[in-house]
Amino acid sequence: MSTLTSTGNTPAATSTDTRRGLRLRGTTWVVWRQHRATHWTLLAAAAVCAAFCFYQRQEAITYLEGYGYPHLKDGWADGFPRALLDQTRSLLGLLPIVIGVFVGAPLLAGDLESGAAKLVSTQSISRVRWLTTKLVVTALVVVASTTVLSVAFTWWWSPVKSSNIIAPWYDSSTFDNTGPVPVALTLLTVFAGVAIGMLLRRTLLSMVVTLGFAVVVQVMWSKVRTSLGNVVTVTTHNGVGDGAWPRLPENANVLDQSYLTAPGDLIGWGTCASDTEKATEACLAKHQVVGWSIDYLPISQMSSMQWLGASVLLALTAGITAFIVLWGRKRLV
């Protein structure tokens, strides 16, 4: 009898232990339960958006196959359904701001404003553990959702990435929504929002300040984006008339164009702009213009530029994270 009882209970006990082992426990469970509505909303929205991108990818491929994809014929871009692609990449470009405001800013500000942080400080758990658990759980959710969105949008955009007419790679709403950039940008705004909320201790005020900070980050990022690449310069000595423009790689991002003179100097291409062709030719002759000098970034540098930029953004995020932990360890409540 005792043998049968022991044998019958062992699998049940093992099964129970297994189920318990798969569940969140302790501080992680508390943090997840506290923010589960926000986290599930973010994950669900990412899944829906990714499914939409996958569907639109198939629609785009169906259209492009009518023009011989992957070797596209002339005129394929005229009827390409670009409106949805443009609208989607514009909306995705707002995600770092939206997530930073609605996920990052309230993360600690809400607890500090409601007094929940004081309650935590009276428990056996340390402040550092409580802080790091909140940051890690939130970071995992943000990374998972933004990675899914980045992969999905990149897959949708990839068939037309060689075009400089439809969603060129150097456009901010394309560059910032593919590769590691959206993940790094979102993490930066989220953790900055957490730090702002920790300092201001008011949820609404923290959200407003985080909004301003996120907008400033976007503006500054747009100014340094092109500096992440190695500028390529090509010059010609065939004049500046028809057919003299240098051959550039497809979808090259032209940063600057100048006239090249015989002594090797550069002058602005608008220097000889005139209403009459005769006046223009006289100006070109006067300055001894012999060709063009073009500075550009090729699409082949896109990946390296993105990873370099992402590493800078992640380094800033790491610094903010260290500040949150160090400040919160002694001054959180």
Side-chain angles (χ1 to χ4, degrees), residues 31 51 61 173 177 197 222 249 275 287 320:
V31 169
I61 289 296
S173 55
N177 289 320
S222 66
D275 295 334
H287 291 284
I320 294 175

Side-chain angles (χ1 to χ4, degrees), residues 103-169:
V103 177
L107 192 70
L108 294 181
D111 292 344
L112 292 168
E113 188 173 20
S114 65
K118 291 184 178 180
L119 177 62
V120 171
S121 65
T122 64
Q123 307 301 310
S124 59
I125 180 176
S126 67
R127 296 176 185 175
V128 173
R129 183 179 178 186
W130 179 63
L131 274 173
T132 53
T133 303
K134 273 181 168 285
L135 295 177
V136 169
V137 171
T138 302
L140 289 176
V141 173
V142 170
V143 169
S145 57
T146 51
T147 299
V148 167
L149 290 175
S150 176
V151 171
F153 180 77
T154 301
W155 199 48
W156 179 10
W157 168 74
S158 59
V160 297
K161 67 180 182 180
S162 61
S163 170
N164 59 356
I165 301 175
I166 298 175
W169 70 271

